[in-house]
Amino acid sequence: MTSVLELAPVVPVVVIEDAADAVPLARALVAGGLPAIEVTLRTPAALDAIRAIAAEVPEAVVGAGTVLSPGHVADAVGAGARFLVSPGWTDALLAAMRGSGVPFLPGVSTTSEVVALLERGVTEMKFFPAQAAGGVPYLKSLAGPLPQARFCPTGGVSLASAPAYLALPNVGCVGGTWMLPADALAARDWARVETLAREAAGLDRS
């Protein structure tokens, strides 16, 4: 795999509180057509969840999100993460992600951050927080002067707003949580997660 942006139109952004939920949740998402799964490093269970998915759901492409430090990079890749996503970046974090051997999406929210990454040879980025940072109009404005930059908008993206993002020439996929409603996760209603994932997977990159 060389690009996170080409795996699926939607990358589920998953917060796992109990590592025992990781495998059935991943299987539901994959069955619904969403093979790329970003497990955020926001909970103590995250690394165990990544290990479990990597070991038991081979058809999933599990990655780590909320990567904030070189230590996070090492821990995530060691656990089996096949891609990395950060909400922002520093030179130290970027160097660690580059050296990890897996694809990565450093986070940006301003034009200057995009230009700085392009200067460093990085063309694929996470746009975060997408809605708060200007949404579709902002990314559309960047396509003219910076056509080489491509994005995965995440943060406030919904089933309703995702098609407008995916229609942009500089968007490869979107990240979202709407296929993972809190009540479904609490009830371990994996069938509902699969249904919502299938709906998301049907969105067109037009």
Side-chain angles (χ1 to χ4, degrees):
M1 184 182 68
T2 59
S3 172
V4 182
L5 300 184
E6 303 304 331
L7 289 171
V10 178
V11 177
V13 179
V14 182
V15 180
I16 295 180
E17 301 288 349
D18 184 347
D21 292 338
V23 168
L25 175 57
R27 286 178 175 153
L29 291 169
V30 170
L34 299 180
I37 302 169
E38 176 188 333
V39 177
T40 65
L41 301 182
R42 301 181 194 176
T43 69
L47 290 174
D48 285 338
I50 291 170
R51 286 188 193 94
I53 295 170
E56 299 183 46
V57 193
E59 61 272 37
V61 181
V62 64
T66 322
V67 174
L68 301 176
S69 68
H72 275 174
V73 171
D75 289 345
V77 174
R82 293 171 61 188
F83 64 90
L84 304 169
V85 183
S86 68
W89 64 279
T90 65
D91 282 323
L93 178 56
L94 188 64
M97 290 193 292
R98 272 191 197 277
S100 69
V102 301
F104 58 91
L105 294 175
V108 296
S109 60
T110 70
T111 306
S112 292
E113 290 169 330
V114 175
V115 171
L117 283 177
L118 291 175
E119 187 178 79
R120 289 160 173 79
V122 178
T123 59
E124 297 188 349
M125 312 165 196
K126 171 179 176 172
F127 180 57
F128 176 83
Q131 288 293 98
V136 170
Y138 192 95
L139 286 177
K140 188 174 182 179
S141 297
L142 291 184
L146 302 171
Q148 65 272 52
R150 299 183 70 228
F151 302 94
C152 173
T154 306
V157 180
S158 67
L159 180 63
S161 64
Y165 281 106
L166 291 169
L168 296 175
N170 55 351
V171 169
C173 64
V174 299
T177 60
W178 73 84
M179 72 298 296
L180 302 160
D183 57 342
L185 298 185
R188 294 179 168 82
D189 187 350
W190 310 128
R192 184 178 171 204
V193 171
E194 180 180 338
T195 297
L196 293 171
R198 185 169 291 108
E199 186 178 33
L203 293 174
D204 185 26
R205 288 191 186 102
S206 55

